[in-house]
Amino acid sequence: MLSYLHGFHAGNLADIQKHAAQVLALRMMQAKPSGIACFDTHAGSALYDLRSERARKTAEADAGVGRLWALRDRLQTDDWAPLIDVLADLNGDVDELRRYPGSPEWFRRLQRDQDSLTVFELHPAEGEQLAAWGGRGTTRVFREDGLRGLLRQLPPRLPRLMVLIDPSYEVKSEYRDVADTLARAWRKCRHGVYLVWYPLLTSGLEQALKDAVKSGPVSAVLCSEIRLERPPERGMVGSGLLVVNPPWGFGDRLEKLLADVSGADGLSVSSAMSWLVPE
Ligand code: SAM
């Protein structure tokens, strides 16, 4: 029984790290003309209302995209521009953002004619919203388990592959399941770029994912972690991302993006980047 709803968390610090990395990786891959098959295994509902009851209950977006938006005048760089442009496009020239794009919407807004997008969502209500969103375009929407669905669809028909794996980790076994799926997907498409999000927890549960990836077959795994400015005593204290086969120079550019929004008046206190498994 799934209970996680991304509407409570959309636009938070973890989303900024994840979506900044997603947009950067895709744009860097798009420097070459060949088509990219994009897969989003845990898509959510694609668009979020930052003024909804859910969003206001946690107010997590205030310290995420709310702060980012307030800093936008000093984020005038080539790598921030596509993110700021999408937010401006969705919201207009406003002081306070209302709409926030989930990962499928980021993919779709950056998609070229030669790219494809396939998304999965298992939660019935989220899946219904996603299907309605997907019905407006050429995106393939599957309301089923995203890990199994991904493996069924690989290798892709297009020459290149980008996969975002962003589970809610409601079940402890998901950390190992994700590592296992990553290894199996990688065997089917070794040149794919895979982004795997995970929470940094006081319990340290996420270590199971990192250990399993480290001892598995996948190589060239970059690891980006950021820490919350005011971590709670229990629960999530930060956000992590594994990036398999990052485009050349991706790590430096992501590090720069995260450094731009770290520090005293930024979004997070610290950001670290290292190879979990070397190239
Ligand atoms: N990727 C989205 C974004 O960045 O906007 C947020 C996704 S949210 C963290 C995780 C989503 O995965 C939830 O909507 C949840 O219902 C869904 N989910 C959980 N288990 C799943 C599974 N096995 N297959 C597909 N979706 C699943």
Side-chain angles (χ1 to χ4, degrees), residues 1 33 35 53 65 92 123 180 213 225 262 264:
M1 178 67 186
E53 213 174 296
V65 72
H123 190 288
D180 178 55
V213 171
E225 293 189 345
S262 298

Side-chain angles (χ1 to χ4, degrees), residues 4 18-19 41-44 102-103 121-123 144-146 166 168:
Y4 179 93
K18 173 178 61 190
H19 296 148
T41 58
H42 297 70
S103 49
E121 173 57 49
L122 196 54
H123 190 288
E144 61 175 74
D145 179 81
D166 179 25
S168 36

Side-chain angles (χ1 to χ4, degrees), residues 8 12 15 54 66-67 80 86 105 107 140-141 173-174 187 212 218 224 227 236 253 256 277:
F8 286 100
N12 68 5
D15 265 8
R54 283 178 192 169
R67 211 127 152 213
W80 276 115
V86 166
E105 177 74 9
F107 270 129
R140 294 191 305 161
V141 179
S173 59
E174 267 183 292
R187 284 194 177 102
V218 184
S224 157
R227 306 259 158 197
M236 195 170 124
R253 285 168 69 172
K256 169 81 177 67
V277 188

Side-chain angles (χ1 to χ4, degrees), residues 164-178:
L164 174 65
I165 301 178
D166 179 25
S168 36
Y169 297 101
E170 283 171 85
V171 186
K172 278 185 193 172
S173 59
E174 267 183 292
Y175 293 97
R176 283 187 185 280
D177 292 346
V178 166

Side-chain angles (χ1 to χ4, degrees), residues 2-204:
L2 296 170
S3 59
Y4 179 93
L5 289 167
H6 198 62
F8 286 100
H9 311 287
N12 68 5
L13 179 69
D15 265 8
I16 301 302
Q17 177 203 30
K18 173 178 61 190
H19 296 148
Q22 176 190 356
V23 168
L24 178 64
L26 184 59
R27 286 185 61 250
M28 290 182 80
M29 290 176 76
Q30 287 174 334
K32 289 182 192 159
S34 52
I36 305 165
C38 299
F39 286 84
D40 192 340
T41 58
H42 297 70
S45 59
L47 279 170
Y48 300 94
D49 180 351
L50 297 176
R51 289 192 211 151
S52 67
E53 213 174 296
R54 283 178 192 169
R56 291 319 305 155
K57 189 161 185 196
T58 62
E60 284 183 26
D62 293 0
V65 72
R67 211 127 152 213
L68 180 81
W69 191 244
L71 296 174
R72 66 190 180 284
D73 286 344
R74 75 172 206 217
L75 301 177
Q76 304 278 344
T77 65
D78 285 353
D79 285 342
W80 276 115
L83 289 124
I84 304 285
D85 287 353
V86 166
L87 292 172
D89 218 45
L90 260 178
N91 289 278
D93 183 20
V94 290
D95 285 337
E96 218 174 287
L97 296 178
R98 168 140 215 172
R99 304 178 80 209
Y100 186 74
S103 49
E105 177 74 9
W106 287 108
F107 270 129
R108 193 146 91 178
R109 288 199 167 243
L110 294 160
Q111 203 175 345
R112 305 167 301 176
D113 289 347
Q114 64 268 44
D115 302 330
S116 69
L117 177 58
T118 307
V119 303
F120 301 89
E121 173 57 49
L122 196 54
H123 190 288
E126 296 291 87
E128 197 173 310
Q129 284 190 47
L130 185 68
W133 167 87
R136 299 200 306 267
T138 54
T139 309
R140 294 191 305 161
V141 179
F142 292 94
R143 296 171 67 178
E144 61 175 74
D145 179 81
L147 298 181
R148 280 199 213 121
L150 173 70
L151 292 175
R152 198 185 61 238
Q153 305 267 349
L154 295 185
R157 290 199 196 108
L158 293 176
R160 289 183 303 145
L161 170 72
M162 174 169 168
V163 180
L164 174 65
I165 301 178
D166 179 25
S168 36
Y169 297 101
E170 283 171 85
V171 186
K172 278 185 193 172
S173 59
E174 267 183 292
Y175 293 97
R176 283 187 185 280
D177 292 346
V178 166
D180 178 55
T181 301
L182 180 64
R184 292 171 65 190
W186 181 82
R187 284 194 177 102
K188 284 173 175 246
C189 184
R190 293 185 181 216
H191 64 268
V193 174
Y194 301 85
L195 272 66
V196 179
W197 182 85
Y198 59 91
L200 303 187
L201 300 167
T202 47
S203 64

